[in-house]
């Protein structure tokens, strides 16, 4: 199973469409989005939020809720149909043995996984060889270790072969100046971070 994983679309629907095309061209059999499809801070009209939600929902096997979905719901920024769709999303899921979370396990909506102790908590809860998270907007890779803080940072260049390691990865973000996504070959236990074409 090859999966294309993105995070933090933040209303960039055309970037998401390009990601989906690029991931499928690279053999992705499923697409996953790790949350923040919409953006509560840019003042987008409900129609723009609806377009982003519809595009992601139509293409992805899994869509997580992020903090921006939560904020848009709380502030009434979504049209009723869009709100009903987003209300069904969870910030934590599991698919094909991979743990998925928008933020961290301590705070799935808001906490950034930026340090080894936070990564270690996710890794210790991971049942398979891989877990993935969004929210930080940065490509990251952590490998499990046997003692505190139970995680060590690893590089994200080229193709990463997990070997026997248990890994936690962040694909980066589709927003920002250097949008990236993650290609995960679940059978071969390989990861590759790719720039959005």
């Amino acid at each position: 199973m090859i999966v294309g994983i993105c995070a933090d679309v933040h209303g960039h629907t055309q970037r998401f469409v390009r990601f989906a095309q690029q991931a499928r061209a690279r053999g992705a059999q499923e697409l996953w989005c790790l949350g923040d499809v919409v953006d509560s801070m840019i003042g987008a009209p409900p129609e723009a939020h609806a377009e982003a939600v519809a595009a992601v929902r139509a293409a992805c096997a899994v869509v997580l809720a992020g903090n921006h979905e939560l904020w848009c719901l709380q502030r009434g920024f979504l049209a009723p149909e869009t709100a009903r769709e987003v209300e069904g999303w969870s910030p934590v899921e599991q698919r094909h043995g991979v743990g998925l979370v928008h933020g961290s396990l301590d705070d799935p909506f808001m906490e950034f996984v930026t340090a080894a102790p936070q990564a270690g908590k996710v890794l210790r809860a991971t049942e398979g060889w891989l877990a993935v998270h969004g929210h930080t907007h940065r490509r990251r890779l952590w490998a499990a270790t046997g003692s505190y803080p139970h995680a060590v940072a690893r590089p994200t260049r080229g193709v990463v072969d997990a070997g026997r390691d248990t890994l936690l990865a962040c694909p980066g973000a589709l927003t920002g100046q250097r949008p990236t996504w993650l290609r995960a070959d679940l059978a071969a236990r390989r990861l590759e971070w790719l720039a959005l074409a």
Side-chain angles (χ1 to χ4, degrees):
M1 169 71 70
I2 296 173
V3 182
I5 307 170
C6 74
D8 299 281
V9 180
H10 288 280
H12 291 282
T13 305
Q14 291 308 309
R15 287 187 182 191
F16 173 80
V17 170
R18 291 203 325 265
F19 150 73
Q21 293 168 343
Q22 190 175 344
R24 288 188 183 115
R26 295 293 304 262
Q29 297 156 282
E30 286 190 4
L31 304 180
W32 301 346
C33 181
L34 305 180
D36 283 355
V37 172
V38 297
D39 193 298
S40 66
M41 310 298 278
I42 60 174
E47 296 79 17
H49 295 312
E51 179 185 18
V53 167
V56 172
R57 191 65 213 120
C60 290
V62 177
V63 184
L64 298 187
N67 53 299
H68 281 267
E69 279 77 43
L70 181 64
W71 291 341
C72 279
L73 286 169
Q74 290 172 338
R75 298 168 185 171
F77 290 168
L78 304 177
E81 185 175 334
T82 307
R84 283 192 295 274
E85 171 68 34
V86 169
E87 284 170 347
W89 298 352
S90 169
V92 181
E93 292 281 351
Q94 181 143 335
R95 186 153 179 98
H96 303 304
V98 179
L100 299 87
V101 63
H102 176 69
S104 75
L105 289 183
D106 284 340
D107 187 341
F109 284 110
M110 290 301 299
E111 185 176 50
F112 294 95
V113 176
T114 57
Q118 297 157 321
K121 286 183 181 180
V122 179
L123 285 163
R124 282 182 291 159
T126 299
E127 295 179 10
W129 70 273
L130 178 65
V132 290
H133 73 91
H135 193 50
T136 66
H137 292 212
R138 295 183 60 198
R139 295 164 38 149
R140 293 303 298 258
L141 180 63
W142 302 92
T145 62
S147 58
Y148 184 84
H150 301 289
V152 62
R154 292 274 177 86
T156 61
R157 297 190 188 281
V159 177
V160 175
D161 189 337
R164 295 185 177 183
D165 287 339
T166 300
L167 302 177
L168 170 64
C170 180
L174 291 187
T175 193
Q177 295 182 342
R178 295 179 180 173
T180 61
W181 61 280
L182 180 64
R183 182 182 186 270
D185 187 328
L186 303 183
R189 297 168 64 104
R190 290 193 186 103
L191 304 176
E192 183 179 11
W193 281 259
L194 296 157
L196 186 65

